Amino acid sequence: MKIMEIKNLHAKIGEKEILKGIDLDMFEGKVHAIMGPNGAGKSTLSKTIVGHPDVEVTEGDIIYKGKSIINMEPEERALEGIFMSFQHPVEIPGVNNAYFLRTALNAKRKHQGLKPLNAAEFLKLLKAKIKELGMKEEMIHRSLNEGFSGGEKKLNEILQMEILEPDFVILDEIDSGLDIDALKKVSEAINNMRDGKRTFMIITHYRKILDYIEPDFVHVLKNGKVLKTGGIEIVDALEKEGYKIFGDA
Amino acid sequence: MGMEKVDKIINSDYDLGFEIDIEEETAPPGLTEDTIKFISAKKNEPEWMLELRLKAFHTWQKMEEPKWAKVTYPPIDYQAISYWAAPKKALESLDEVDPEILKAYEKLGIPLEEQKALAGVAVDAVLDSVSVKTTFVEELNKLGIIFCSISEAIRDYPELVKKYMFSVVPMTDNYFAALNSAVFSDGTFVYIPKGVKCPMELSTYFRINAQNTGQFERTLIIADEGSYVSYNEGCSAPSRDENQLHAAVVELIAHKDAHINYSTIQNWYPGDIEGNGGIYNFVTKRGLCEGENSKITWTQVETGSVITWKYPSCILKGDNSVGEFYSVAITRLAQQADTGTKMIHIGKNTKSLIISKGISAQKGQNSYRGLVKIHESAKGAKNFSECDSLLIGDNCGAHTFPYLESKCASAQVEHEATTSKISEEQLFYLRQRGIGEEDAVSMIVHGFCKDVLNKLPMEFAVEAKALLDLTLEGSVG
């Protein structure tokens, strides 16, 4: 079943058109890897899906769970189950990590008509997840992303994903800046979240992460268009020949 | 997100901008010796007080309005202001308080009765110029604590008033202090005897109600040896097109081993986006750490007034005495704030701590101005200052003016300053996690102010947080 259909999507940042007619279907429970050279529009595509204010959609549509989302506020899209792990998570001084996570979770629970979790209930959940991820417990008491190392920031993104249990997960270069152990840990966490329902869109430059998280589909982006869609064999071809083998969009 | 939406949120009405319909007895506008005699007579003051007032008036006449603050406003016509407004009825008990006034307090969220029962806060509520009702006085009296209006103190405790009034802020101190000394209408007096820890938060709400009247309250708090008191003041004023003047003076005296906590939430009417209306808030607040090991802590959350000129200060005279200043100042609309502190180190091993958080939005201009002065005698003195500014949008400004004068080689002084902007990225990050825009801004601002808000007494902190939300929700452009 299609969870997301992207139709002839054109989008610009400032005056520059970056997405030039993306057509892409993504399916429930599947892992979609998005690859492509620098400047292909990978990050812009994910920003467009989550409704980043810098991006202006000029043509086309994004249908998610049967509804167009391009006019929805970012928080509404999030509440509908779209989650993006940021390539460079921002630091927010003075905002306690646990407090932030509880606020986010309770916003989602409210949206779902569920009772908010109180501090004790939430802490129990959080501590279990932290342990699973092998994170240091003190990280939950620190300010959001402040003074976190690159790896800690990425793990914190994964922690948020686990707590919020989204339906559609965009991982924007989750592998960048991770050493091999951290990459394994992150991949394992992601694999644990694969339940046949949840969809993943993994944006990456490197094959490595796809060795750990096996994609169902690989899409190659170039010049703001989808150039090629296929399976893991595409990655093999890319490894050998580079993006030039797919020609130009 | 669109600027229109942001403007809509930020321009939400001033919630406390209602006007109470009570008959006022108001002095005709103008300031002469006769005005001062009128005020003094209205208050049945002893002769010595009138003489002091007149002396202050003559001093004021020779002074000039200070121009050094980074604020601009049209000239004030001191002869166009009425210096006295009082509710007509004399009040004996709470039952006699005009229901309109009580309603007003309810709108302010401070029903006296409820506060009595629930919060355990003794409130000396000042409406315009006369202290309307003082509660809890009896309980406090049992401990020897005096908590009354300054007018009562002048009548009933003349020796204490004579000894301490003008001892920290002399009537010649500055233009506005001199004006206040001449015309002060009412205010609060607190005396905590030796060794007594005041068992409850003392609280006063000030509110300017009558049109064209200035409010000139005067507060005097004395903490005798080994005593402790925490005092909170909150302020609000109705919305009006014209500007109103507020020139208060607060004097604190902490004797040996005494500790005074003084917290303010200032929410006077801020005027509109063009700078029309709003309170001119020209306030002199100063505390004297007279004795060894004494401590004075100022905590302020300033969200109101169109112009603010205010520097709660500490004179650290006693050895090992400590002065602290925690401040959150928000300027939005066309508000201008020039605020900060002065820490004057005189005694040995005196310590001061300054944490200032300025937030500017819309056309707000926020200046921190702070002086750390270390006298030669202050061996081993230490100061740490941190001044952070947060900008929301592109039309506001933040300015920092730190002054340091040290005549002592063994003193340590540290100053840190940062300016940051609520970035689109921070906001977006939180929204991507499902947190609405307004809650996201509030979360970022609260995070920014955390060090200061944590210093407020509990019930006050709740109010301050709610006020921050009211003031700044969604204010990102």
Side-chain angles (χ1 to χ4, degrees):
Chain A
M1 201 185 90
K2 284 179 198 169
I3 189 166
M4 187 176 287
E5 290 171 72
I6 300 174
K7 296 176 180 170
N8 188 32
L9 186 67
H10 291 253
K12 58 183 190 177
I13 291 183
E15 287 307 303
K16 196 174 174 203
E17 185 174 53
I18 297 176
L19 303 184
K20 300 169 181 169
I22 298 262
D23 287 292
L24 181 60
D25 290 342
M26 285 181 270
F27 297 91
E28 191 177 271
K30 302 298 179 191
V31 174
H32 294 258
I34 310 278
M35 301 187 75
N38 286 330
K42 302 186 298 296
S43 284
T44 303
L45 176 61
S46 51
K47 279 183 166 178
T48 313
I49 296 171
V50 293
H52 194 286
D54 285 354
V55 181
E56 189 191 335
V57 173
T58 52
E59 209 184 324
D61 207 348
I62 302 172
I63 309 293
Y64 170 70
K65 293 183 181 173
K67 277 190 300 189
S68 169
I69 57 166
I70 54 169
N71 291 317
M72 277 165 74
E73 297 291 336
E75 56 269 35
E76 293 175 61
R77 303 183 200 204
L79 294 172
E80 287 296 328
I82 300 177
F83 177 95
M84 177 172 87
S85 84
F86 285 74
Q87 199 178 331
H88 304 289
V90 285
E91 302 191 352
I92 307 186
V95 174
N96 173 279
N97 206 14
Y99 173 72
F100 151 72
L101 269 169
R102 184 157 77 97
T103 307
L105 177 60
N106 281 338
K108 176 155 191 192
R109 289 178 64 91
K110 189 179 171 193
H111 185 73
Q112 294 169 327
L114 297 171
K115 262 189 12 204
L117 290 189
N118 67 34
E121 292 165 331
F122 176 74
L123 212 59
K124 205 173 147 192
L125 170 73
L126 183 60
K127 283 188 174 167
K129 297 286 183 196
I130 289 259
K131 209 171 160 193
E132 246 175 65
L133 285 172
M135 289 168 75
K136 283 179 267 174
E137 206 176 297
E138 51 117 7
M139 274 179 65
I140 64 179
H141 304 297
R142 283 172 36 191
S143 290
L144 184 49
N145 293 324
E146 201 182 28
F148 286 24
S149 71
E152 283 173 334
K153 281 183 183 171
K154 292 293 170 81
L155 265 181
N156 203 39
E157 296 289 294
I158 297 296
L159 174 68
Q160 294 173 38
M161 174 184 79
E162 296 212 342
I163 295 281
L164 295 173
E165 301 186 325
D167 302 323
F168 187 91
V169 178
I170 302 167
L171 301 164
D172 190 1
E173 298 195 20
I174 190 77
D175 49 348
S176 70
L178 290 188
D179 62 32
I180 196 76
D181 290 338
L183 181 62
K184 272 187 191 164
K185 208 189 283 178
V186 163
S187 304
E188 193 187 302
I190 292 166
N191 282 327
N192 287 338
M193 293 284 286
R194 288 177 76 168
D195 60 358
K197 296 279 281 177
R198 187 169 287 123
T199 306
F200 289 87
M201 174 177 149
I202 300 178
I203 294 171
T204 183
H205 277 293
Y206 306 105
R207 182 203 170 97
K208 197 82 213 160
I209 190 167
L210 302 178
D211 288 342
Y212 296 110
I213 308 167
E214 204 178 307
D216 298 295
F217 299 93
V218 177
H219 311 277
V220 177
L221 249 64
K222 199 171 173 185
N223 291 332
K225 286 187 171 178
V226 178
L227 204 59
K228 179 92 182 162
T229 290
I232 191 78
E233 74 282 353
I234 289 185
V235 183
D236 296 328
L238 279 179
E239 284 271 287
K240 284 202 195 91
E241 310 284 342
Y243 288 104
K244 66 178 185 298
I245 58 158
F246 299 115
D248 282 319
Chain B
M1 86 226 65
M3 271 310 286
E4 315 81 54
K5 187 178 162 200
V6 167
D7 281 346
K8 206 175 119 206
I9 300 165
I10 208 170
N11 284 324
S12 59
D13 290 339
Y14 180 67
D15 273 13
L16 303 175
F18 54 90
E19 195 172 324
I20 315 171
D21 187 18
I22 346 168
E23 271 188 281
E24 297 256 9
E25 189 181 16
T26 306
L31 184 52
T32 61
E33 276 197 18
D34 286 343
T35 321
I36 288 158
K37 285 175 185 159
F38 173 84
I39 294 170
S40 193
K42 274 284 168 199
K43 297 163 69 66
N44 296 319
E45 281 180 354
E47 189 62 27
W48 59 267
M49 193 68 240
L50 175 62
E51 279 167 21
L52 286 170
R53 283 177 180 275
L54 289 171
K55 200 172 141 195
F57 175 62
H58 295 135
T59 309
W60 177 74
Q61 283 182 309
K62 285 178 221 132
M63 295 172 93
E64 276 188 32
E65 206 178 310
K67 295 287 176 217
W68 44 263
K70 192 173 166 52
V71 293
T72 51
Y73 53 91
I76 299 171
D77 182 356
Y78 291 90
Q79 296 304 333
I81 296 170
S82 167
Y83 289 85
W84 172 260
K88 266 185 181 166
K89 282 196 248 168
L91 301 157
E92 288 295 320
S93 78
L94 201 62
D95 304 334
E96 289 176 39
V97 173
D98 191 312
E100 288 290 315
I101 296 177
L102 290 179
K103 245 200 283 179
Y105 286 139
E106 265 169 52
K107 280 199 198 176
L108 288 171
I110 48 155
L112 293 185
E113 286 291 15
E114 253 183 44
Q115 286 226 355
K116 251 171 148 178
L118 294 174
V121 174
V123 174
D124 179 20
V126 175
L127 186 82
D128 289 346
S129 310
V130 163
S131 184
V132 177
K133 186 64 207 158
T134 304
T135 47
F136 272 113
V137 168
E138 279 174 33
E139 269 179 64
L140 295 172
N141 278 350
K142 281 182 204 155
L143 294 163
I145 294 172
I146 304 169
F147 178 46
C148 64
S149 71
I150 200 91
S151 317
E152 285 173 82
I154 289 165
R155 289 194 298 267
D156 300 342
Y157 310 100
E159 294 316 311
L160 284 172
V161 174
K162 279 184 199 168
K163 183 172 173 191
Y164 291 108
M165 191 186 266
F166 309 116
S167 73
V168 186
V169 180
M171 58 173 66
T172 53
D173 190 79
N174 67 70
Y175 188 78
F176 298 111
L179 178 63
N180 173 287
S181 304
V183 302
F184 71 88
S185 36
D186 216 324
T188 305
F189 178 83
V190 178
Y191 173 79
I192 314 289
K194 273 186 194 171
V196 172
K197 313 274 182 226
C198 185
M200 59 186 85
E201 302 281 336
L202 301 182
S203 180
T204 303
Y205 279 78
F206 291 109
R207 184 178 159 82
I208 297 180
N209 197 49
Q211 294 190 46
N212 280 322
T213 58
Q215 180 151 337
F216 304 92
E217 78 274 0
R218 186 145 195 130
T219 299
L220 178 56
I221 299 178
I222 303 139
D224 217 327
E225 287 183 18
S227 69
Y228 167 81
V229 63
S230 176
Y231 182 85
N232 309 327
E233 64 172 353
C235 328
S236 69
S239 315
R240 281 185 217 289
D241 294 337
E242 67 272 32
N243 299 103
Q244 282 176 286
L245 177 61
H246 174 250
V249 171
V250 175
E251 293 175 281
L252 311 181
I253 296 106
H255 286 285
K256 187 167 178 267
D257 299 319
H259 182 185
I260 302 175
N261 259 332
Y262 193 105
S263 308
T264 305
I265 293 184
Q266 187 266 111
N267 185 29
W268 299 118
Y269 179 54
D272 68 13
I273 186 80
E274 302 303 331
N276 299 314
I279 301 291
Y280 292 161
N281 192 31
F282 302 127
V283 175
T284 307
K285 292 185 170 181
R286 196 173 301 152
L288 172 64
C289 283
E290 165 77 37
E292 281 169 44
N293 304 311
S294 56
K295 182 174 177 183
I296 289 176
T297 304
W298 297 102
T299 307
Q300 60 173 18
V301 175
E302 301 276 323
T303 66
S305 300
V306 63
I307 310 277
T308 295
W309 182 100
K310 180 182 170 186
Y311 315 91
S313 304
C314 297
I315 300 169
L316 304 170
K317 189 176 159 201
D319 290 348
N320 306 310
S321 61
V322 177
E324 292 176 335
F325 174 75
Y326 299 94
S327 170
V328 170
I330 298 178
T331 53
R332 58 180 183 129
L333 302 164
Q335 285 175 283
Q336 306 171 58
D338 192 304
T339 185
T341 184
K342 288 188 275 186
M343 293 292 176
I344 314 294
H345 291 254
I346 299 168
K348 290 190 193 75
N349 300 314
T350 46
K351 284 196 200 98
S352 62
L353 175 67
I354 298 169
I355 308 282
S356 164
K357 307 277 181 179
I359 300 164
S360 314
Q362 294 175 323
K363 286 153 73 180
Q365 293 292 329
N366 210 321
S367 302
Y368 168 81
R369 188 182 302 275
L371 168 69
V372 175
K373 187 169 181 173
I374 299 180
H375 286 253
E376 209 177 336
S377 53
K379 306 272 185 280
K382 276 185 193 159
N383 159 267
F384 177 78
S385 306
E386 183 186 318
C387 306
D388 299 323
S389 307
L390 187 67
L391 300 172
I392 303 176
D394 296 322
N395 299 318
C396 54
H399 319 272
T400 306
F401 304 100
Y403 304 88
L404 168 67
E405 293 170 31
S406 180
K407 292 190 174 132
C408 175
S410 66
Q412 287 177 28
V413 178
E414 274 182 77
H415 179 89
E416 286 178 9
T418 66
T419 300
S420 53
K421 242 180 126 163
I422 285 196
S423 70
E424 198 94 321
E425 289 309 316
Q426 286 176 325
L427 205 58
F428 182 70
Y429 188 88
L430 298 178
R431 296 177 77 192
Q432 209 301 303
R433 298 304 184 242
I435 298 170
E437 186 178 0
E438 294 180 13
D439 291 339
V441 171
S442 148
M443 194 178 263
I444 295 167
V445 168
H446 285 213
F448 176 75
C449 302
K450 194 156 100 181
D451 298 346
V452 175
L453 297 180
N454 284 347
K455 285 288 159 188
L456 288 169
M458 177 89 120
E459 64 267 35
F460 232 44
V462 171
E463 192 184 329
K465 283 176 185 171
L467 188 58
L468 281 185
D469 284 347
L470 253 177
T471 315
L472 280 167
E473 268 171 4
S475 52
V476 173

